[in-house]
Amino acid sequence: MAKQAAPALETSLDNLESLVEKMESGDLTLEESLKAFEEGVRLSRECQQALQQAEQKVRILLEQNTDAEPAPFAGEDNGQ
């Protein structure tokens, strides 16, 4: 799930940035601007939801392992 959320968030942010640039250019008609704004609101909500889910996961992980000690990743070379 986390693997899908990050690319979706990045894609939504990229699309949102592109919409903002189009709207700031002033080349859109009123109808196109309204559609772009509506899409921007939708993308913004998606991003907010993805960030809230990530924040909740971090909280859960921190609560589960309050006394956990740092340990090297399995793939790290420990000089052995």
Side-chain angles (χ1 to χ4, degrees), residues 26-73:
D27 295 334
L28 299 178
T29 65
L30 178 59
E31 185 175 328
E32 291 169 334
S33 293
L34 288 172
K35 285 181 182 180
F37 181 77
E38 183 178 359
E39 177 69 6
V41 169
R42 185 188 67 76
L43 289 169
S44 176
R45 288 181 180 155
E46 284 180 11
C47 292
Q48 184 66 29
Q49 183 179 13
L51 290 172
Q52 287 174 344
Q53 288 173 351
E55 182 180 2
Q56 184 177 6
K57 263 188 185 178
V58 169
R59 282 188 191 143
I60 290 169
L61 290 171
L62 290 175
E63 288 173 4
Q64 288 176 350
N65 296 315
T66 56
D67 60 345
E69 293 292 322
F73 291 113

Side-chain angles (χ1 to χ4, degrees), residues 2-42:
K3 291 179 182 179
Q4 293 174 352
L9 176 63
E10 291 175 5
T11 300
S12 293
L13 286 173
D14 289 342
N15 291 342
L16 187 56
E17 186 176 327
S18 177
L19 279 174
V20 170
E21 289 174 3
K22 286 180 187 177
M23 292 177 73
E24 287 179 341
S25 74
D27 295 334
L28 299 178
T29 65
L30 178 59
E31 185 175 328
E32 291 169 334
S33 293
L34 288 172
K35 285 181 182 180
F37 181 77
E38 183 178 359
E39 177 69 6
V41 169
R42 185 188 67 76

